[in-house]
Amino acid sequence: MNKIYYYIVFLITSTIFAQEVKFEAKVDKTTVGLNEKVRITFSINQDGDNFEQPDFAGFQVVGGPFQSTNFSWINGVKSFNRSYTYVLQPRQKGNLTIKPAAIEYDGKIYKTNAVTIKVTDAIAVPKDPNSPDYKAGEGIHLVAEVSNGNPYLNQPITVVYKLYFDPRFTVQNVREVENPKYNGFWSQHIDIAKLEAVPGTYNGKDYAMVVWRKVLLYPQETGVKPLEPLKIDLDVLVPTRKNMGGFFSVMDYEKVAKTVSAGAKSITVKPLPEEGKPASFTGAVGSFDFKIKPSKTELKSGESLDLEISVSGNGNLKLFNLPKPEFPSAFEVFDPQHQEQVQTPLSGMTGKISDTYTIVPQVKGKYTIKPIEFSYFDLATKSYKTITSETIEINVLQGKETIASSDNSSANKQKVEKYNTFQFIKLNSEFQPIAKEDFFGSGKFYTLLFAPFLLIPIIILAKKKKETIDADVVGNKIRRNTKLAKKFLSEAKKQLGNKVPFYMAMEKAMHNFLKAKLHLETSEMSKENIQELLLAKNANSEIVSEFIALMNDCEFARYTPSSDVAMQKDYDRAVTLIADLEKQIA
């Protein structure tokens, strides 16, 4: 009897401990050099799903995720383990913390422990000229070419980033990891229609060259201004020879992950000369034409005219204000409408900017808009130039006469009686009763008083319905998986162009769709089982085959080169296949 008792206690204890969920993160080393790699593994001892990786701040993912699942029964005891492994390359020194990963099991979210890794200076390693890593380091260079290192304030300069690489290499998955902020500059990225490799020369050697980025800068501050470096990650297929035994060898390619930087640069910005600077100068630098043009010069009182003040040419058109004219007091003037018709090629801004004022004269007479000045610094002659507009005469033919003299010389100073041309005339009267009904004892009073009692049956029914829904475990699981499928499909659409997160979201979307429709667990997700169950539910065999093929494509695409076009096609296929299966097995 005692033996049976101890056996039952042992069995219950074993069951309790077997059900305990352990989700943890482990690394192969906690101290690494800046040029070394670290392996981190997230493992769970239950059949969890919807794994969410941390963002790995301070690291570059150079390998993974590699997923493995182990399932066994030993002496009647279930053993299960699922793991996700990543290979990381540190980007900076210091104590870097990898935040917890998350996974879902039995409707609950579990998180791993945070892991701190100490990153030291790069560790010296022997240089092996035959090493693919050494070849990649010597054969790839990112260079920033600055058109002018000593410009004037608001003088345009260009920065062109060029990627040079050995013509024997194949470069893949190029992505920017650190973007310059260009502090102290107005900046504009110039679109590059097509990234294309052309022959180039760097340090006297022949390379293949790609223009990666073009930037137009206008310095806004004087002095020495540092340019932050551009840093990019890329994968390189380096040709190597593999010994097949004896005297035989074959040419092969080895994949190497590299980070290259354009290096820090500085630009010394000169102030504009103070000598000869006009009082009307507001910061315009370049070569410009200045015009003032009225839409008409004769009109009746109450009519409107437009006065356009414009500057056209080449220079910092978006970075200065147009001069403002003085108007006679008899003019009602509205705030100007600002327009910019400016193109921004690599050579600098070009086009036209304008302010258009709408003017409504109130009083009959002849009025003068005095000339105004526009000054700019001419880079060609390195001197200031001033353009003065012509005097504009406005003749108001009809309207109220002025009280004072209408002499032209004093037209801008005379006091006139103002009339509001756009005064609103109220046509309908609104009456309100003098005697008002008291709120207490009114119909509204009793409605608000008894309304809470009428809501009680609705609350009771809603509560019962919620209890019924909560009790439906299977239905809730189906609804949750359907919701997750839509969520991850939406996430995949957002990650188009970002290969690994895109295909991970695609896999999760398809898995959760199958869970909702076939009532499967993750451990039952074999392709043979999926195909058999779909066909049993009268799904079209061709659609099923395409769905299985897409699952295979998504599984392998994370580890192979993939273009944005291919990702878009895979996403469209997933949407179409899920919609078709939804109709056939609903």
Side-chain angles (χ1 to χ4, degrees), residues 425-551:
I425 300 173
K426 192 169 184 180
L427 301 177
N428 298 322
S429 300
E430 294 179 0
F431 299 98
Q432 294 182 352
I434 297 174
K436 295 184 178 179
E437 182 183 359
D438 290 335
F439 174 70
F440 183 78
S442 64
K444 185 183 292 185
F445 169 79
Y446 287 111
T447 300
L448 295 175
L449 179 64
F450 293 108
F453 297 100
L454 298 175
L455 293 175
I456 293 175
I458 298 175
I459 295 172
I460 294 173
L461 291 173
K463 185 179 180 181
K464 288 185 176 180
K465 186 173 182 180
K466 185 178 184 302
E467 290 174 351
T468 303
I469 293 174
D470 292 342
D472 185 9
V473 177
V474 176
N476 287 336
K477 195 168 187 180
I478 293 172
R479 283 187 288 272
R480 184 172 67 250
N481 288 330
T482 303
K483 185 177 179 181
L484 286 171
K486 293 178 180 179
K487 171 190 170 184
F488 287 117
L489 200 58
S490 176
E491 178 65 22
K493 187 174 183 180
K494 294 178 184 177
Q495 295 293 347
L496 278 169
N498 198 359
K499 183 181 70 175
V500 174
F502 170 79
Y503 282 109
M504 287 184 68
M506 285 276 286
E507 285 187 64
K508 290 179 181 179
M510 289 188 287
H511 283 182
N512 281 286
F513 170 75
L514 292 172
K515 284 183 177 182
K517 294 299 179 183
L518 304 179
H519 315 314
L520 289 173
E521 295 296 334
T522 303
S523 57
E524 300 173 320
M525 281 287 182
S526 68
K527 295 182 176 63
E528 294 79 7
N529 192 27
I530 292 169
Q531 187 170 12
E532 181 180 345
L533 290 173
L534 286 174
L535 293 174
K537 286 184 172 287
N538 298 322
N540 184 283
S541 58
E542 293 183 3
I543 300 295
V544 173
S545 299
E546 288 185 29
F547 191 86
I548 299 297
L550 180 59
M551 291 179 67

Side-chain angles (χ1 to χ4, degrees), residues 64-90:
F66 306 110
Q67 181 177 340
S68 66
T69 302
N70 295 318
F71 180 83
S72 63
W73 284 89
I74 300 176
N75 295 328
V77 178
K78 172 186 173 183
S79 174
F80 183 89
N81 181 269
R82 172 172 292 126
S83 65
Y84 304 84
T85 302
Y86 297 81
V87 180
L88 308 177
Q89 173 84 49

